[in-house]
Amino acid sequence: MATTTTTMFSPPSAILSSTTTTTTPPSPFKSLFPFKQPLTNLTAAATIAAILTTAPLPSLAQESPSYQVYYGTAASAANYGGYGGNSNKKDSAEYVYDVPVGWKERLVSKVEKGTNGTDSEFYNPKKKAEKEYLTFLAGFRQLAPKDVILNNLALSDVDLQDLIANADSLSSEEVKDDKGQLYYVYEIDGVGTHSLISVTCAKNKLYAHFVNAPTPEWNRDKDMLRHVHESFKTVGSF
């Protein structure tokens, strides 16, 4: 008896439909490391380090400047008895202002005190033209008009005369402290120099506090210089 063998063939479509295609997602590091050849561990570590070291770092905030309080006595030339230091001046002080730490005191002579009334001065040793100083005049019971006061101050200060004469801008205002004491505040932007001036009357004297700086130093230190300017007070008004 003959045996019949039946051979079954799957249709081509069935074979093709059973084939599964797997797609590998692109590596997120390809954009960072566009190398054709695989990286060794050492090369990859070096590349990552290079990227991290070239990334910009956040800027650090500048440290706030420090100050020390100066106590001024506004002594007359006849009673001017010494130089330097102010540890024994606090009890007899007539005015105060802040001095940036690191600034140096310039010793004022009796002759200078007697001619233009300069009582104290401090300066930045890195740039001596950046400075603050105070002058006083006796015999003033109250403030005259603002323009008269400024012109009178310039009579004994040649640098102030030149600054006013060549000023790009000059502003003035009246300011009262929390105790009602009146101050005249001037700001002069001159050729290469900026100046802040505060003037007031107390104890039958006129006090004028000056803060001067060349334009580059003013642009760099304006916040500190404004602080110094605003720190000036006569004793009894702070």
Side-chain angles (χ1 to χ4, degrees):
M1 182 177 179
T3 302
T4 304
T5 303
T6 303
T7 303
M8 299 183 66
F9 296 92
S10 298
S13 59
I15 296 175
L16 292 176
S17 62
S18 63
T19 303
T20 302
T21 303
T22 303
T23 303
T24 304
S27 170
F29 297 103
K30 280 190 175 181
S31 59
L32 291 177
F33 311 115
F35 298 103
K36 295 181 179 180
Q37 299 298 326
L39 295 176
T40 64
N41 291 340
L42 182 60
T43 306
T47 305
I48 294 174
I51 293 174
L52 293 178
T53 54
T54 56
L57 297 175
S59 59
L60 299 177
Q62 294 183 350
E63 294 183 2
S64 299
S66 300
Y67 307 91
Q68 59 185 6
V69 179
Y70 177 79
Y71 298 90
T73 58
S76 66
N79 297 325
Y80 187 54
Y83 297 111
N86 67 333
S87 59
N88 62 341
K89 295 180 179 180
K90 187 173 182 178
D91 293 338
S92 58
E94 295 187 8
Y95 65 87
V96 296
Y97 58 75
D98 286 353
V99 179
V101 170
W103 282 29
K104 303 297 183 182
E105 182 176 7
R106 184 180 73 82
L107 303 181
V108 179
S109 68
K110 286 186 177 182
V111 173
E112 188 177 2
K113 181 182 283 286
T115 54
N116 60 18
T118 301
D119 191 62
S120 59
E121 181 174 320
F122 289 83
Y123 63 91
N124 182 351
K126 297 179 180 179
K127 187 71 174 181
K128 291 186 177 181
E130 185 177 19
K131 61 185 179 179
E132 65 175 321
Y133 62 96
L134 183 133
T135 64
F136 76 95
L137 298 171
F140 285 79
R141 300 179 64 87
Q142 61 183 14
L143 290 170
K146 294 193 296 295
D147 57 341
V148 173
I149 289 291
L150 188 61
N151 289 333
N152 286 343
L153 291 174
L155 290 177
S156 58
D157 190 331
V158 176
D159 292 337
L160 181 57
Q161 292 178 27
D162 293 341
L163 185 62
I164 294 173
N166 299 294
D168 292 329
S169 64
L170 192 160
S171 64
S172 62
E173 62 177 331
E174 298 181 3
V175 177
K176 288 187 177 181
D177 63 15
D178 55 356
K179 295 187 177 181
Q181 182 164 341
L182 178 64
Y183 291 79
Y184 288 169
V185 176
Y186 305 89
E187 183 164 356
I188 307 173
D189 188 10
V191 178
T193 304
H194 204 94
S195 182
L196 301 172
I197 308 170
S198 182
V199 183
T200 192
C201 278
K203 299 181 180 180
N204 206 34
K205 294 178 181 177
L206 182 143
Y207 302 87
H209 179 253
F210 298 80
V211 177
N212 295 342
T215 300
E217 281 68 33
W218 167 257
N219 292 334
R220 182 192 66 200
D221 299 332
K222 64 175 62 178
D223 291 340
M224 177 191 73
L225 296 171
R226 286 195 183 279
H227 170 92
V228 169
H229 164 68
E230 295 169 357
S231 70
F232 164 65
K233 303 289 182 184
T234 56
V235 170
S237 65
F238 68 93

